[in-house]
Amino acid sequence: MIVEDEPHAMQLLEDYISKIPFLQLETKCYDAMAAVAFLRDHTVDVIFLDINMPLLTGIEMAAMISKDQKIIFTTAYSEYALDSFEYHVVDYLLKPITFKRFMQAVNKLQSFMQAESNAGELVEASATQDYLFVKSGKQVHKIEYTDIFYLEALKEYIAIHTEKEKILVYRRMKDVAESLPPKFVRIHNSYIVNIQHIKNIDSNMVLIQGQRLPVSNSYRELFQQRINARML
């Protein structure tokens, strides 16, 4: 869906969308009220949503619709960027929007949707599995997922931090990340955390097991989406 009150900007987004084989324009609205009415009976994967519109702004519209709705905000005013990221935002496009920048946002959307799809598959696959076995040295450890606070990359090894111990495993972080259930989320090249054990989030730091772990730029938006899904 495109929600945009400027005809020129609307046409530009239409042209860009038409060039992407895996995108299909479901509808376009020149004001947010019409968009909200459409969404009462229809669903879309993503909304390209202008912010500065009369009657109802894009920020106000975002507050009215499902918190799970993916949004790519578009606007000529960069001062709105901070407010916009309170919602399920995939990206923020500053006008005038180039096709290169548009593609970056679309690729990010694809990555988010693929991650959600993988998480759904993991939920089904792990419905009856709540533990894993890991080999550390000559020993094989059985670890309950709920006992894992976070995982830390240490050169060729991964340290699995639990309440009682730290277990070193000779594995790559990428391989481990793909095998974990959705309660785990990567926040940094060096850290995967168990959302269940997060005590608080302060700016770009996560407090877990008494440790303050950084959230890097590469993983911040996906991490924020996972948190927003549980936000009251």
Side-chain angles (χ1 to χ4, degrees):
M1 170 190 275
I2 304 173
V3 185
E4 170 63 65
D5 67 328
E6 298 177 8
H8 176 73
M10 175 73 82
Q11 184 60 56
L12 181 70
L13 288 172
E14 283 190 80
D15 290 344
Y16 285 172
I17 289 171
S18 69
K19 291 178 170 63
I20 313 300
F22 54 83
L23 288 184
Q24 176 180 323
L25 181 60
E26 184 72 14
T27 190
K28 56 183 181 180
C29 300
Y30 285 94
D31 65 80
M33 294 298 294
V36 171
F38 179 86
L39 291 172
R40 291 194 186 104
D41 301 312
H42 305 82
T43 61
V44 294
D45 292 317
V46 64
I47 302 173
F48 290 90
L49 178 57
D50 186 25
I51 291 181
N52 191 29
M53 293 184 290
L55 299 180
L56 190 69
T57 69
I59 296 290
E60 292 168 337
M61 175 182 162
M64 296 173 61
I65 61 179
S66 170
K67 64 180 181 180
D68 295 325
Q69 176 65 64
K70 293 179 181 62
I71 296 171
I72 296 177
F73 276 115
T74 64
T75 186
Y77 303 94
S78 59
E79 62 267 25
Y80 290 114
L82 185 60
D83 292 336
S84 72
F85 278 100
E86 294 180 10
Y87 305 100
H88 202 61
V89 177
V90 174
D91 208 343
Y92 181 95
L93 297 178
L94 189 62
K95 298 176 182 177
I97 303 167
T98 65
F99 185 67
K100 178 181 178 180
R101 183 66 184 86
F102 177 84
M103 277 302 305
Q104 290 175 346
V106 170
N107 288 336
K108 190 180 295 185
L109 171 67
Q110 266 199 315
S111 297
F112 286 166
M113 295 186 72
Q114 184 61 52
E116 289 181 352
S117 176
N118 291 342
E121 293 172 2
L122 282 170
V123 168
E124 182 177 354
S126 63
T128 59
Q129 181 179 337
D130 51 11
Y131 60 86
L132 77 162
F133 287 99
V134 297
K135 184 177 181 180
S136 180
K138 296 181 179 181
Q139 293 184 323
V140 175
H141 300 261
K142 178 184 178 182
I143 308 175
E144 303 284 340
Y145 284 130
T146 54
D147 291 339
I148 299 174
F149 285 86
Y150 65 94
L151 297 90
E152 179 184 10
L154 299 172
K155 295 185 178 179
E156 298 90 358
Y157 290 85
I158 290 174
I160 301 176
H161 293 261
T162 69
E163 184 176 8
K164 297 180 180 179
E165 58 187 338
K166 178 173 72 173
I167 301 172
L168 290 179
V169 182
Y170 188 70
R171 292 287 301 276
R172 293 190 309 167
M173 198 68 150
K174 180 177 182 295
D175 295 336
V176 173
E178 293 173 352
S179 65
L180 292 170
K183 69 176 68 175
F184 292 90
V185 59
R186 193 162 187 177
I187 62 170
H188 190 277
N189 282 339
S190 298
Y191 297 105
I192 297 173
V193 300
N194 186 340
I195 290 179
Q196 290 182 321
H197 291 298
I198 292 176
K199 295 300 181 183
N200 64 55
I201 303 167
D202 183 9
S203 185
N204 296 324
M205 304 296 291
V206 171
L207 179 63
I208 189 168
Q209 200 191 18
Q211 300 295 319
R212 287 170 57 82
L213 308 179
V215 181
S216 69
N217 291 333
S218 301
Y219 297 97
R220 182 175 299 121
E221 291 180 21
L222 186 56
F223 173 64
Q224 189 62 55
Q225 288 197 9
R226 296 286 295 278
I227 296 303
N228 287 347
R230 298 275 183 166
M231 190 81 72
L232 291 180

